[in-house]
Amino acid sequence: SEIDPIVEDVMSAARGSRAIWDFGTIPAWLLDAPQPVGYPRDPDQVDWNYGAFKARPKPGALPEIAAYFARIASHYLAAGFRDDDGTVRRSGWRYPVAYWEVLNEPELEHDVDPALYNELYDAIVPAVREVAPGLRFGGPASVSPM
């Protein structure tokens, strides 16, 4: 919910444009991190250290990662989602998003190599497409050649 006001502002500013979305960070609980990952106490504080730990997904976590991104898509594109406990979380939003970039600069955030990126892409796209069948996908947006 912390990002909802930012998404509302962006979508309001982009009204009439074909939006390209990217929620590129895999959450820490799905990563095999060598140490706990800290978060700023203030949700408005910018934190560029989220990828410093170079953790890769936990073994067997691809379905959970795909489900995580599908829930984000459902929250913003299909008016809500069902959480892991089965509770329906209604948002009311049905934003007109045309494109979804799968991850962003994955080689920086989680030391994702091309093989792992393809596995993640192949897991995430069908899960998000189930929520938004007309959505088009792309990626990787890379800071340097993978």
Side-chain angles (χ1 to χ4, degrees):
S1 64
E2 298 290 344
I3 197 170
D4 289 348
I6 296 168
V7 171
E8 288 176 320
D9 288 348
V10 167
M11 293 308 291
S12 177
R15 192 177 26 249
S17 298
R18 298 177 68 182
I20 300 172
W21 274 28
D22 169 29
F23 286 88
T25 302
I26 299 169
W29 69 84
L30 294 171
L31 299 173
D32 197 6
Q35 72 258 358
V37 178
Y39 298 96
R41 298 185 109 198
D42 177 358
D44 294 324
Q45 178 183 343
V46 175
D47 176 17
W48 294 109
N49 296 318
Y50 54 85
F53 50 89
K54 296 291 187 193
R56 293 172 64 86
K58 291 178 181 178
L62 288 179
E64 289 178 87
I65 292 168
Y68 168 79
F69 286 107
R71 284 191 301 273
I72 291 173
S74 188
H75 179 67
Y76 291 114
L77 309 180
F81 68 97
R82 184 176 305 278
D83 68 17
D84 288 341
D85 295 327
T87 303
V88 174
R89 308 286 180 174
R90 303 228 181 268
S91 67
W93 291 304
R94 291 186 183 276
Y95 288 122
V97 175
Y99 302 94
W100 187 286
E101 177 189 332
V102 178
L103 304 181
N104 180 54
E105 299 173 347
E107 74 278 21
L108 290 180
E109 289 191 25
H110 306 303
D111 201 24
V112 173
D113 58 35
L116 178 55
Y117 181 82
N118 285 336
E119 289 180 47
L120 288 161
Y121 188 98
D122 289 347
I124 293 168
V125 168
V128 174
R129 183 172 279 144
E130 196 170 307
V131 172
L135 203 56
R136 297 177 75 185
F137 296 87
S142 182
V143 76
S144 62
M146 292 176 77

